[in-house]
Amino acid sequence: MFNVDISSSTPIYQQLADSVKEGILKGLLEPGEKLPSVRELAKTMTLNPNTIQKAYQELERQKVIVTLRGKGTYISSDYKPRKDEDKLMEVKELFKKGIVEAHYMGFRKDDILNMIDELLKELEGVENDD
Amino acid sequence: MFNVDISSSTPIYQQLADSVKEGILKGLLEPGEKLPSVRELAKTMTLNPNTIQKAYQELERQKVIVTLRGKGTYISSDYKPRKDEDKLMEVKELFKKGIVEAHYMGFRKDDILNMIDELLKELEGVENDD
Amino acid sequence: MFNVDISSSTPIYQQLADSVKEGILKGLLEPGEKLPSVRELAKTMTLNPNTIQKAYQELERQKVIVTLRGKGTYISSDYKPRKDEDKLMEVKELFKKGIVEAHYMGFRKDDILNMIDELLKELEGVENDD
Amino acid sequence: MFNVDISSSTPIYQQLADSVKEGILKGLLEPGEKLPSVRELAKTMTLNPNTIQKAYQELERQKVIVTLRGKGTYISSDYKPRKDEDKLMEVKELFKKGIVEAHYMGFRKDDILNMIDELLKELEGVENDD
DNA sequence: GTGGTCTAGACCACC
DNA sequence: GTGGTCTAGACCACG
């Protein structure tokens, strides 16, 4: 949980946000659950509070979490998927790039589908939720 | 071919490199084929020559293209897949992120597999080549 | 009556105060009427008593309510409109921001006027009282 | 243009973002026009670059502006209104609060409609654009 | 040159 | 206690 690689080129705040979303799908974080406070998480991860803040704000913007003033930050318990043309394109680009790169590593169609299958199992939330 | 979106947040040189690799998979570019020169492509795409240069360098580093001094740049005809642990992780991350985001758009397992299938058809090279 | 959204970014005490003022305009609360005690309202709304207290203080400052020591809190029956340059600016800012945002949602002049009309009907007190 | 009141309780970055959107509606900023660079505007307004940055990012998120890497920030020339249920509620709340407050200043229905009319004239973009 | 990210540290409002 | 904003100053990738 809350895995970030500071040597990665993708921003820390984004890795953190992605990691929360992934944690929810894996069932490591449950709807309604309280997230660590900005300061606390900053201390345990030895990151600047602003960085944590930015991750939390990004997640709130996406309605993945809600912040209750003075009380803390919580996993949304009423998340509703939203159709977004831009987002769809973005997802397709991710998959497309994944397929292209996989091809250049010598993967064939079946190898790719197997990899996807494994990942889908790991992220069980995709299969089971509502 | 050579599609780039200058307002996207992914670097232009990378979009360009990706676009070349994708074009090869789609059969739009064939092994041995000559690529436009840096200056020529820079002019037709109204991009900075440095940007084109950087894309070509990236592709050459990945052995997708080769430059023959004084003759031009060509699609490699002897590309050999490299198994690379880091690369594999990277690809998995791409797919994982795609799945997570798709989930948050309301997609289920089947919707995701369908999307992958469509993309695989589009990139037919994955199935047939080498 | 007394609608507050704890996940909203506007302070709860302010939402509460606004809600009282709105209730008066809608005729749900009448001049002279007694408001619930701080402790009572805190319990029924599961809010911190301090929050209710702050809302009541704010309303009293605006002379919308009066507190009679030992007797309770009541809707003012002799409210006199105050012309206040700052307040006027504030109201204009509210409307201006509303118009700007409406525009960015694709609303045109008539759509906006219709929306205002609807709201005016809902808040009938604006037309009839005093 | 770019008016902010540092003593206001609304965040500077938000005032700045609002001011840009308002400027576009007033015709002070045209689609395709280049905005001052983050550093430049920070210097002229004696604000921290991070504050300007946050305002620009907020505007980009709303697709009001676009940033071209290494080139600068520009007013979007292809803005498309998006329907958003939450946003609509927000706008209604703004107007409702405006009406309630106006009432408590002694304004009647006609006074309010006149005020709105004036503001609509000031923001001529609402009337004229596409 | 441009924007984007991050750290350090401060102050504030809210509950 | 909580999150939100702001400043100061640094470093980096991009074009």
Side-chain angles (χ1 to χ4, degrees), chain A residues 42-82:
Chain A
K43 207 166 55 183
T44 65
M45 299 187 73
T46 56
L47 291 174
N48 189 287
N50 285 330
T51 306
I52 311 289
Q53 174 83 305
K54 199 166 181 183
Y56 277 17
Q57 279 180 345
E58 175 64 17
L59 287 168
E60 179 160 37
R61 210 179 51 69
Q62 295 176 23
K63 314 232 181 187
V64 172
I65 65 178
V66 290
T67 73
L68 305 186
R69 266 142 312 87
K71 301 196 71 175
T73 310
Y74 299 81
I75 307 289
S76 294
S77 40
D78 61 344
Y79 182 85
K80 288 203 193 91
R82 24 169 218 151

mmCIF file of all heavy atoms in Angstrom, chain A residues 42-82:
data_model
loop_
_atom_site.group_PDB
_atom_site.id
_atom_site.type_symbol
_atom_site.label_atom_id
_atom_site.label_comp_id
_atom_site.label_asym_id
_atom_site.label_seq_id
_atom_site.Cartn_x
_atom_site.Cartn_y
_atom_site.Cartn_z
ATOM 1 N N ALA A 42 2.880 12.010 5.368
ATOM 2 C CA ALA A 42 4.109 12.690 4.954
ATOM 3 C C ALA A 42 5.270 12.232 5.822
ATOM 4 O O ALA A 42 6.377 11.989 5.329
ATOM 5 C CB ALA A 42 3.931 14.200 5.056
ATOM 6 N N LYS A 43 5.009 12.083 7.106
ATOM 7 C CA LYS A 43 6.076 11.681 8.018
ATOM 8 C C LYS A 43 6.491 10.235 7.758
ATOM 9 O O LYS A 43 7.677 9.946 7.604
ATOM 10 C CB LYS A 43 5.624 11.855 9.475
ATOM 11 C CG LYS A 43 6.783 12.105 10.436
ATOM 12 C CD LYS A 43 6.308 12.600 11.801
ATOM 13 C CE LYS A 43 5.290 11.663 12.415
ATOM 14 N NZ LYS A 43 4.769 12.159 13.711
ATOM 15 N N THR A 44 5.498 9.341 7.677
ATOM 16 C CA THR A 44 5.852 7.929 7.505
ATOM 17 C C THR A 44 6.512 7.660 6.159
ATOM 18 O O THR A 44 7.307 6.747 6.030
ATOM 19 C CB THR A 44 4.625 7.012 7.654
ATOM 20 O OG1 THR A 44 3.709 7.272 6.603
ATOM 21 C CG2 THR A 44 3.924 7.239 8.976
ATOM 22 N N MET A 45 6.164 8.462 5.140
ATOM 23 C CA MET A 45 6.762 8.228 3.828
ATOM 24 C C MET A 45 7.953 9.150 3.573
ATOM 25 O O MET A 45 8.526 9.119 2.481
ATOM 26 C CB MET A 45 5.712 8.413 2.729
ATOM 27 C CG MET A 45 4.541 7.444 2.841
ATOM 28 S SD MET A 45 3.424 7.556 1.428
ATOM 29 C CE MET A 45 4.397 6.765 0.142
ATOM 30 N N THR A 46 8.263 9.953 4.567
ATOM 31 C CA THR A 46 9.321 10.957 4.427
ATOM 32 C C THR A 46 9.173 11.738 3.121
ATOM 33 O O THR A 46 10.091 11.842 2.316
ATOM 34 C CB THR A 46 10.733 10.326 4.490
ATOM 35 O OG1 THR A 46 10.845 9.312 3.498
ATOM 36 C CG2 THR A 46 11.000 9.736 5.854
ATOM 37 N N LEU A 47 7.954 12.257 2.965
ATOM 38 C CA LEU A 47 7.682 13.129 1.831
ATOM 39 C C LEU A 47 7.180 14.454 2.386
ATOM 40 O O LEU A 47 6.794 14.551 3.553
ATOM 41 C CB LEU A 47 6.599 12.522 0.932
ATOM 42 C CG LEU A 47 6.983 11.271 0.142
ATOM 43 C CD1 LEU A 47 5.766 10.711 -0.571
ATOM 44 C CD2 LEU A 47 8.085 11.610 -0.857
ATOM 45 N N ASN A 48 7.167 15.444 1.546
ATOM 46 C CA ASN A 48 6.652 16.730 1.972
ATOM 47 C C ASN A 48 5.124 16.692 2.023
ATOM 48 O O ASN A 48 4.480 16.158 1.128
ATOM 49 C CB ASN A 48 7.119 17.794 0.990
ATOM 50 C CG ASN A 48 6.795 19.185 1.500
ATOM 51 O OD1 ASN A 48 5.649 19.583 1.495
ATOM 52 N ND2 ASN A 48 7.801 19.881 1.968
ATOM 53 N N PRO A 49 4.534 17.294 3.058
ATOM 54 C CA PRO A 49 3.074 17.313 3.172
ATOM 55 C C PRO A 49 2.392 17.824 1.907
ATOM 56 O O PRO A 49 1.332 17.328 1.522
ATOM 57 C CB PRO A 49 2.823 18.269 4.341
ATOM 58 C CG PRO A 49 4.053 18.197 5.167
ATOM 59 C CD PRO A 49 5.190 17.937 4.220
ATOM 60 N N ASN A 50 3.011 18.794 1.249
ATOM 61 C CA ASN A 50 2.403 19.324 0.027
ATOM 62 C C ASN A 50 2.224 18.254 -1.038
ATOM 63 O O ASN A 50 1.258 18.281 -1.805
ATOM 64 C CB ASN A 50 3.259 20.449 -0.548
ATOM 65 C CG ASN A 50 3.120 21.722 0.255
ATOM 66 O OD1 ASN A 50 2.071 21.978 0.840
ATOM 67 N ND2 ASN A 50 4.177 22.506 0.322
ATOM 68 N N THR A 51 3.155 17.343 -1.100
ATOM 69 C CA THR A 51 3.081 16.286 -2.102
ATOM 70 C C THR A 51 1.901 15.361 -1.809
ATOM 71 O O THR A 51 1.131 15.002 -2.707
ATOM 72 C CB THR A 51 4.394 15.464 -2.120
ATOM 73 O OG1 THR A 51 5.487 16.365 -2.296
ATOM 74 C CG2 THR A 51 4.388 14.453 -3.240
ATOM 75 N N ILE A 52 1.751 15.006 -0.542
ATOM 76 C CA ILE A 52 0.613 14.174 -0.152
ATOM 77 C C ILE A 52 -0.687 14.929 -0.460
ATOM 78 O O ILE A 52 -1.621 14.378 -1.046
ATOM 79 C CB ILE A 52 0.645 13.862 1.363
ATOM 80 C CG1 ILE A 52 2.031 13.365 1.789
ATOM 81 C CG2 ILE A 52 -0.444 12.864 1.706
ATOM 82 C CD1 ILE A 52 2.376 12.005 1.303
ATOM 83 N N GLN A 53 -0.685 16.175 -0.079
ATOM 84 C CA GLN A 53 -1.846 17.036 -0.312
ATOM 85 C C GLN A 53 -2.282 16.997 -1.768
ATOM 86 O O GLN A 53 -3.464 16.845 -2.084
ATOM 87 C CB GLN A 53 -1.444 18.461 0.085
ATOM 88 C CG GLN A 53 -2.471 19.511 -0.221
ATOM 89 C CD GLN A 53 -3.503 19.565 0.857
ATOM 90 O OE1 GLN A 53 -4.126 18.551 1.184
ATOM 91 N NE2 GLN A 53 -3.723 20.723 1.410
ATOM 92 N N LYS A 54 -1.298 17.136 -2.646
ATOM 93 C CA LYS A 54 -1.602 17.178 -4.071
ATOM 94 C C LYS A 54 -2.224 15.854 -4.516
ATOM 95 O O LYS A 54 -3.165 15.839 -5.315
ATOM 96 C CB LYS A 54 -0.324 17.463 -4.866
ATOM 97 C CG LYS A 54 -0.598 17.976 -6.262
ATOM 98 C CD LYS A 54 0.656 18.567 -6.888
ATOM 99 C CE LYS A 54 0.370 19.094 -8.286
ATOM 100 N NZ LYS A 54 1.587 19.600 -8.944
ATOM 101 N N ALA A 55 -1.705 14.756 -3.993
ATOM 102 C CA ALA A 55 -2.268 13.445 -4.334
ATOM 103 C C ALA A 55 -3.708 13.357 -3.851
ATOM 104 O O ALA A 55 -4.605 12.946 -4.598
ATOM 105 C CB ALA A 55 -1.432 12.339 -3.708
ATOM 106 N N TYR A 56 -3.947 13.764 -2.620
ATOM 107 C CA TYR A 56 -5.294 13.702 -2.060
ATOM 108 C C TYR A 56 -6.262 14.596 -2.843
ATOM 109 O O TYR A 56 -7.399 14.226 -3.108
ATOM 110 C CB TYR A 56 -5.269 14.126 -0.583
ATOM 111 C CG TYR A 56 -4.868 13.018 0.368
ATOM 112 C CD1 TYR A 56 -4.233 11.857 -0.086
ATOM 113 C CD2 TYR A 56 -5.105 13.117 1.743
ATOM 114 C CE1 TYR A 56 -3.856 10.850 0.785
ATOM 115 C CE2 TYR A 56 -4.728 12.110 2.627
ATOM 116 C CZ TYR A 56 -4.108 10.984 2.143
ATOM 117 O OH TYR A 56 -3.745 9.987 3.006
ATOM 118 N N GLN A 57 -5.783 15.777 -3.210
ATOM 119 C CA GLN A 57 -6.669 16.675 -3.960
ATOM 120 C C GLN A 57 -7.018 16.097 -5.319
ATOM 121 O O GLN A 57 -8.144 16.229 -5.784
ATOM 122 C CB GLN A 57 -6.002 18.043 -4.108
ATOM 123 C CG GLN A 57 -6.174 18.882 -2.846
ATOM 124 C CD GLN A 57 -5.524 20.237 -2.957
ATOM 125 O OE1 GLN A 57 -4.707 20.491 -3.840
ATOM 126 N NE2 GLN A 57 -5.877 21.120 -2.038
ATOM 127 N N GLU A 58 -6.041 15.459 -5.941
ATOM 128 C CA GLU A 58 -6.306 14.832 -7.226
ATOM 129 C C GLU A 58 -7.370 13.746 -7.066
ATOM 130 O O GLU A 58 -8.304 13.639 -7.864
ATOM 131 C CB GLU A 58 -5.017 14.226 -7.784
ATOM 132 C CG GLU A 58 -5.171 13.438 -9.073
ATOM 133 C CD GLU A 58 -5.616 14.297 -10.234
ATOM 134 O OE1 GLU A 58 -5.496 15.531 -10.151
ATOM 135 O OE2 GLU A 58 -6.121 13.733 -11.223
ATOM 136 N N LEU A 59 -7.247 12.958 -6.028
ATOM 137 C CA LEU A 59 -8.211 11.890 -5.778
ATOM 138 C C LEU A 59 -9.593 12.463 -5.453
ATOM 139 O O LEU A 59 -10.613 11.908 -5.855
ATOM 140 C CB LEU A 59 -7.733 11.006 -4.623
ATOM 141 C CG LEU A 59 -6.562 10.083 -4.962
ATOM 142 C CD1 LEU A 59 -5.975 9.472 -3.694
ATOM 143 C CD2 LEU A 59 -7.005 8.976 -5.915
ATOM 144 N N GLU A 60 -9.608 13.564 -4.733
ATOM 145 C CA GLU A 60 -10.901 14.155 -4.407
ATOM 146 C C GLU A 60 -11.571 14.703 -5.665
ATOM 147 O O GLU A 60 -12.778 14.577 -5.843
ATOM 148 C CB GLU A 60 -10.749 15.272 -3.379
ATOM 149 C CG GLU A 60 -12.104 15.887 -3.083
ATOM 150 C CD GLU A 60 -12.132 16.625 -1.775
ATOM 151 O OE1 GLU A 60 -11.122 17.250 -1.439
ATOM 152 O OE2 GLU A 60 -13.166 16.570 -1.076
ATOM 153 N N ARG A 61 -10.763 15.295 -6.526
ATOM 154 C CA ARG A 61 -11.283 15.818 -7.782
ATOM 155 C C ARG A 61 -11.952 14.703 -8.586
ATOM 156 O O ARG A 61 -12.935 14.906 -9.269
ATOM 157 C CB ARG A 61 -10.134 16.422 -8.590
ATOM 158 C CG ARG A 61 -10.513 17.565 -9.484
ATOM 159 C CD ARG A 61 -9.301 18.095 -10.214
ATOM 160 N NE ARG A 61 -8.528 17.092 -10.890
ATOM 161 C CZ ARG A 61 -8.940 16.413 -11.967
ATOM 162 N NH1 ARG A 61 -10.145 16.639 -12.459
ATOM 163 N NH2 ARG A 61 -8.162 15.517 -12.514
ATOM 164 N N GLN A 62 -11.393 13.509 -8.461
ATOM 165 C CA GLN A 62 -11.954 12.364 -9.176
ATOM 166 C C GLN A 62 -13.039 11.664 -8.377
ATOM 167 O O GLN A 62 -13.510 10.594 -8.769
ATOM 168 C CB GLN A 62 -10.832 11.368 -9.503
ATOM 169 C CG GLN A 62 -9.797 11.909 -10.458
ATOM 170 C CD GLN A 62 -8.648 10.930 -10.680
ATOM 171 O OE1 GLN A 62 -8.779 9.723 -10.490
ATOM 172 N NE2 GLN A 62 -7.510 11.447 -11.097
ATOM 173 N N LYS A 63 -13.364 12.224 -7.230
ATOM 174 C CA LYS A 63 -14.424 11.683 -6.355
ATOM 175 C C LYS A 63 -14.101 10.295 -5.810
ATOM 176 O O LYS A 63 -15.008 9.549 -5.436
ATOM 177 C CB LYS A 63 -15.778 11.629 -7.086
ATOM 178 C CG LYS A 63 -16.090 12.914 -7.837
ATOM 179 C CD LYS A 63 -17.423 13.445 -7.483
ATOM 180 C CE LYS A 63 -17.678 14.719 -8.284
ATOM 181 N NZ LYS A 63 -18.849 15.411 -7.941
ATOM 182 N N VAL A 64 -12.825 9.951 -5.777
ATOM 183 C CA VAL A 64 -12.429 8.662 -5.225
ATOM 184 C C VAL A 64 -12.411 8.753 -3.699
ATOM 185 O O VAL A 64 -12.689 7.790 -3.000
ATOM 186 C CB VAL A 64 -11.044 8.248 -5.758
ATOM 187 C CG1 VAL A 64 -10.531 7.008 -5.051
ATOM 188 C CG2 VAL A 64 -11.120 8.011 -7.260
ATOM 189 N N ILE A 65 -12.081 9.923 -3.201
ATOM 190 C CA ILE A 65 -12.097 10.155 -1.759
ATOM 191 C C ILE A 65 -12.898 11.417 -1.454
ATOM 192 O O ILE A 65 -13.184 12.202 -2.359
ATOM 193 C CB ILE A 65 -10.662 10.325 -1.188
ATOM 194 C CG1 ILE A 65 -9.999 11.583 -1.762
ATOM 195 C CG2 ILE A 65 -9.813 9.105 -1.492
ATOM 196 C CD1 ILE A 65 -8.619 11.843 -1.204
ATOM 197 N N VAL A 66 -13.277 11.574 -0.211
ATOM 198 C CA VAL A 66 -13.933 12.823 0.214
ATOM 199 C C VAL A 66 -13.197 13.336 1.447
ATOM 200 O O VAL A 66 -12.707 12.551 2.248
ATOM 201 C CB VAL A 66 -15.423 12.633 0.568
ATOM 202 C CG1 VAL A 66 -16.234 12.364 -0.666
ATOM 203 C CG2 VAL A 66 -15.603 11.528 1.587
ATOM 204 N N THR A 67 -13.134 14.650 1.577
ATOM 205 C CA THR A 67 -12.515 15.187 2.779
ATOM 206 C C THR A 67 -13.584 15.877 3.597
ATOM 207 O O THR A 67 -14.382 16.644 3.076
ATOM 208 C CB THR A 67 -11.394 16.200 2.463
ATOM 209 O OG1 THR A 67 -11.988 17.395 2.003
ATOM 210 C CG2 THR A 67 -10.457 15.670 1.427
ATOM 211 N N LEU A 68 -13.618 15.548 4.871
ATOM 212 C CA LEU A 68 -14.539 16.193 5.787
ATOM 213 C C LEU A 68 -13.728 17.186 6.610
ATOM 214 O O LEU A 68 -12.804 16.789 7.326
ATOM 215 C CB LEU A 68 -15.205 15.153 6.684
ATOM 216 C CG LEU A 68 -15.914 14.009 5.939
ATOM 217 C CD1 LEU A 68 -16.665 13.128 6.930
ATOM 218 C CD2 LEU A 68 -16.865 14.543 4.892
ATOM 219 N N ARG A 69 -14.065 18.436 6.481
ATOM 220 C CA ARG A 69 -13.267 19.483 7.113
ATOM 221 C C ARG A 69 -13.021 19.225 8.601
ATOM 222 O O ARG A 69 -13.933 18.983 9.368
ATOM 223 C CB ARG A 69 -13.944 20.820 6.979
ATOM 224 C CG ARG A 69 -13.509 21.653 5.799
ATOM 225 C CD ARG A 69 -14.631 22.387 5.167
ATOM 226 N NE ARG A 69 -15.764 21.500 4.936
ATOM 227 C CZ ARG A 69 -16.702 21.250 5.824
ATOM 228 N NH1 ARG A 69 -16.688 21.826 6.993
ATOM 229 N NH2 ARG A 69 -17.679 20.419 5.541
ATOM 230 N N GLY A 70 -11.764 19.302 8.943
ATOM 231 C CA GLY A 70 -11.399 19.136 10.342
ATOM 232 C C GLY A 70 -11.437 17.708 10.830
ATOM 233 O O GLY A 70 -11.037 17.422 11.952
ATOM 234 N N LYS A 71 -11.945 16.808 10.011
ATOM 235 C CA LYS A 71 -12.061 15.418 10.447
ATOM 236 C C LYS A 71 -11.092 14.471 9.747
ATOM 237 O O LYS A 71 -10.624 13.510 10.343
ATOM 238 C CB LYS A 71 -13.490 14.915 10.240
ATOM 239 C CG LYS A 71 -14.531 15.729 11.000
ATOM 240 C CD LYS A 71 -15.847 14.996 11.104
ATOM 241 C CE LYS A 71 -15.794 13.817 12.046
ATOM 242 N NZ LYS A 71 -17.086 13.160 12.253
ATOM 243 N N GLY A 72 -10.845 14.732 8.496
ATOM 244 C CA GLY A 72 -9.921 13.861 7.784
ATOM 245 C C GLY A 72 -10.407 13.506 6.395
ATOM 246 O O GLY A 72 -11.363 14.064 5.881
ATOM 247 N N THR A 73 -9.743 12.532 5.809
ATOM 248 C CA THR A 73 -9.996 12.135 4.434
ATOM 249 C C THR A 73 -10.461 10.679 4.404
ATOM 250 O O THR A 73 -9.876 9.839 5.077
ATOM 251 C CB THR A 73 -8.701 12.291 3.618
ATOM 252 O OG1 THR A 73 -8.163 13.590 3.840
ATOM 253 C CG2 THR A 73 -8.970 12.114 2.150
ATOM 254 N N TYR A 74 -11.496 10.407 3.626
ATOM 255 C CA TYR A 74 -12.095 9.077 3.620
ATOM 256 C C TYR A 74 -12.306 8.553 2.199
ATOM 257 O O TYR A 74 -12.557 9.325 1.276
ATOM 258 C CB TYR A 74 -13.447 9.121 4.330
ATOM 259 C CG TYR A 74 -13.347 9.552 5.765
ATOM 260 C CD1 TYR A 74 -13.239 10.900 6.106
ATOM 261 C CD2 TYR A 74 -13.325 8.612 6.792
ATOM 262 C CE1 TYR A 74 -13.111 11.303 7.432
ATOM 263 C CE2 TYR A 74 -13.204 8.999 8.114
ATOM 264 C CZ TYR A 74 -13.097 10.348 8.428
ATOM 265 O OH TYR A 74 -12.960 10.725 9.733
ATOM 266 N N ILE A 75 -12.249 7.227 2.057
ATOM 267 C CA ILE A 75 -12.578 6.605 0.773
ATOM 268 C C ILE A 75 -14.071 6.821 0.520
ATOM 269 O O ILE A 75 -14.891 6.568 1.389
ATOM 270 C CB ILE A 75 -12.319 5.078 0.813
ATOM 271 C CG1 ILE A 75 -10.892 4.759 1.289
ATOM 272 C CG2 ILE A 75 -12.591 4.450 -0.532
ATOM 273 C CD1 ILE A 75 -9.820 5.108 0.319
ATOM 274 N N SER A 76 -14.404 7.291 -0.678
ATOM 275 C CA SER A 76 -15.817 7.514 -1.019
ATOM 276 C C SER A 76 -16.602 6.225 -0.901
ATOM 277 O O SER A 76 -16.115 5.155 -1.277
ATOM 278 C CB SER A 76 -15.952 8.022 -2.453
ATOM 279 O OG SER A 76 -15.389 9.303 -2.586
ATOM 280 N N SER A 77 -17.799 6.334 -0.394
ATOM 281 C CA SER A 77 -18.606 5.112 -0.297
ATOM 282 C C SER A 77 -19.711 5.115 -1.343
ATOM 283 O O SER A 77 -20.496 4.186 -1.441
ATOM 284 C CB SER A 77 -19.193 4.959 1.108
ATOM 285 O OG SER A 77 -19.618 6.185 1.612
ATOM 286 N N ASP A 78 -19.764 6.156 -2.138
ATOM 287 C CA ASP A 78 -20.841 6.235 -3.131
ATOM 288 C C ASP A 78 -20.299 6.614 -4.503
ATOM 289 O O ASP A 78 -20.904 7.375 -5.240
ATOM 290 C CB ASP A 78 -21.874 7.268 -2.682
ATOM 291 C CG ASP A 78 -21.239 8.652 -2.560
ATOM 292 O OD1 ASP A 78 -20.000 8.727 -2.532
ATOM 293 O OD2 ASP A 78 -21.984 9.636 -2.497
ATOM 294 N N TYR A 79 -19.127 6.064 -4.837
ATOM 295 C CA TYR A 79 -18.542 6.419 -6.113
ATOM 296 C C TYR A 79 -19.434 5.997 -7.278
ATOM 297 O O TYR A 79 -19.908 4.872 -7.340
ATOM 298 C CB TYR A 79 -17.169 5.774 -6.275
ATOM 299 C CG TYR A 79 -16.509 6.156 -7.571
ATOM 300 C CD1 TYR A 79 -15.781 7.324 -7.679
ATOM 301 C CD2 TYR A 79 -16.655 5.373 -8.707
ATOM 302 C CE1 TYR A 79 -15.201 7.703 -8.862
ATOM 303 C CE2 TYR A 79 -16.079 5.741 -9.906
ATOM 304 C CZ TYR A 79 -15.354 6.909 -9.973
ATOM 305 O OH TYR A 79 -14.789 7.284 -11.167
ATOM 306 N N LYS A 80 -19.651 6.935 -8.189
ATOM 307 C CA LYS A 80 -20.421 6.603 -9.391
ATOM 308 C C LYS A 80 -19.557 6.828 -10.622
ATOM 309 O O LYS A 80 -19.051 7.913 -10.832
ATOM 310 C CB LYS A 80 -21.668 7.503 -9.472
ATOM 311 C CG LYS A 80 -22.724 7.162 -8.453
ATOM 312 C CD LYS A 80 -24.099 7.647 -8.913
ATOM 313 C CE LYS A 80 -25.116 7.615 -7.785
ATOM 314 N NZ LYS A 80 -25.188 8.884 -7.040
ATOM 315 N N PRO A 81 -19.429 5.777 -11.450
ATOM 316 C CA PRO A 81 -18.616 5.923 -12.656
ATOM 317 C C PRO A 81 -19.152 7.025 -13.546
ATOM 318 O O PRO A 81 -20.358 7.236 -13.642
ATOM 319 C CB PRO A 81 -18.766 4.564 -13.354
ATOM 320 C CG PRO A 81 -19.943 3.921 -12.742
ATOM 321 C CD PRO A 81 -20.074 4.474 -11.376
ATOM 322 N N ARG A 82 -18.263 7.749 -14.188
ATOM 323 C CA ARG A 82 -18.733 8.783 -15.099
ATOM 324 C C ARG A 82 -18.163 8.546 -16.485
ATOM 325 O O ARG A 82 -16.993 8.217 -16.650
ATOM 326 C CB ARG A 82 -18.381 10.193 -14.616
ATOM 327 C CG ARG A 82 -17.190 10.290 -13.688
ATOM 328 C CD ARG A 82 -16.731 11.700 -13.468
ATOM 329 N NE ARG A 82 -15.273 11.711 -13.420
ATOM 330 C CZ ARG A 82 -14.527 12.738 -13.779
ATOM 331 N NH1 ARG A 82 -15.082 13.826 -14.223
ATOM 332 N NH2 ARG A 82 -13.210 12.666 -13.706
#
